[in-house]
Amino acid sequence: SMLICRSVTPYIVRIHGSVRTTLGVPLGRDLEFTFKTEPLSLFVSISRSGLGGGVRMSAFSPRLYFNDTINIDSIAKAVTFEPPINGIWRLGTDRDDCTFLPSEGPLLPSTNYAIIVSNEVAVSGEARLNVADTSTFTTEPVGVLSYSPCDGCSGSNYIRFEFNAPMDHASVESAFSLTNANGDTLSGTLGWDDYGGPDRSMYFRS
């Protein structure tokens, strides 16, 4: 729903003295109330569901929530990333929030990033933030997202690993080994498929 009052704006409420009670008694005098709305404010939402509590490299979509409707073209000018991340901002249904959609990826692993929202650009009518807003986050390290079979599963001649970033095939294959409880090395064939994305999923088949 649309906001009735804009941020950082004075308003006057007037009630004419001719209004009456249910018994017909008039108010008898005009009433006037004034108020000014709060400054433009911002909340930055960043999901930290990656490995080690970091931000996922391949599913980065921060969301900005404001206390007033915003202009999406102004948001694109006001927000920067350090290190730079290219992408576009998509306006929410109520026009008071927006989500960033990267046009490239994934982000760099184990890297400190910052989202900076300038107070030099008016993003809601003529309103702008009182001070620039900076939110920082760290991306997850490179690692294994999932593997199968799981502990306790029935016997299998097929093992799969899914990484959270595109991997160099040769380096991963040369570092892989499979041994049983007796320390015997098991032989088989290593391969890759596009499960989870290119260069992310390696399998072993005996």
Side-chain angles (χ1 to χ4, degrees), residues 93-136:
T93 303
D94 292 334
R95 299 180 58 230
D96 59 358
D97 68 275
C98 55
T99 303
F100 183 73
L101 304 175
S103 58
E104 58 187 27
L107 302 184
L108 299 173
S110 301
T111 300
N112 296 323
Y113 282 87
I115 303 176
I116 305 167
V117 184
S118 171
N119 61 336
E120 299 295 325
V121 180
V123 297
S124 177
E126 297 301 319
R128 64 193 70 199
L129 295 174
N130 284 339
V131 295
D133 184 276
T134 300
S135 300
T136 60

Side-chain angles (χ1 to χ4, degrees), residues 5-89:
C5 300
R6 304 300 304 269
S7 59
V8 202
T9 303
Y11 289 89
I12 302 174
V13 179
R14 295 185 177 91
I15 302 176
H16 196 270
S18 62
V19 302
R20 298 176 181 275
T21 68
T22 56
L23 297 177
V25 179
L27 181 61
R29 67 189 185 283
D30 295 343
L31 297 181
E32 182 176 294
F33 306 94
T34 63
F35 65 91
K36 185 177 181 179
T37 50
E38 62 186 346
L40 184 67
S41 63
L42 163 69
F43 172 73
V44 179
S45 175
I46 306 172
S47 174
R48 292 173 168 81
S49 60
L51 296 178
V55 171
R56 294 179 61 185
M57 293 180 284
S58 59
F60 176 65
S61 57
R63 195 168 185 177
L64 308 184
Y65 294 89
F66 291 84
N67 60 340
D68 202 346
T69 55
I70 54 176
N71 181 288
I72 199 66
D73 293 330
S74 297
I75 290 294
K77 298 176 183 177
V79 182
T80 56
F81 293 90
E82 294 293 341
I85 306 173
N86 294 323
I88 60 172
W89 288 96

Side-chain angles (χ1 to χ4, degrees), residues 161-198:
F161 294 88
E162 182 189 351
F163 294 89
N164 61 352
M167 304 297 292
D168 175 73
H169 293 197
S171 66
V172 177
E173 292 174 13
S174 64
F176 176 86
S177 66
L178 178 64
T179 58
N180 60 20
N182 297 322
D184 302 321
T185 299
L186 306 182
S187 60
T189 302
L190 292 174
W192 296 76
D193 56 34
D194 289 338
Y195 180 85

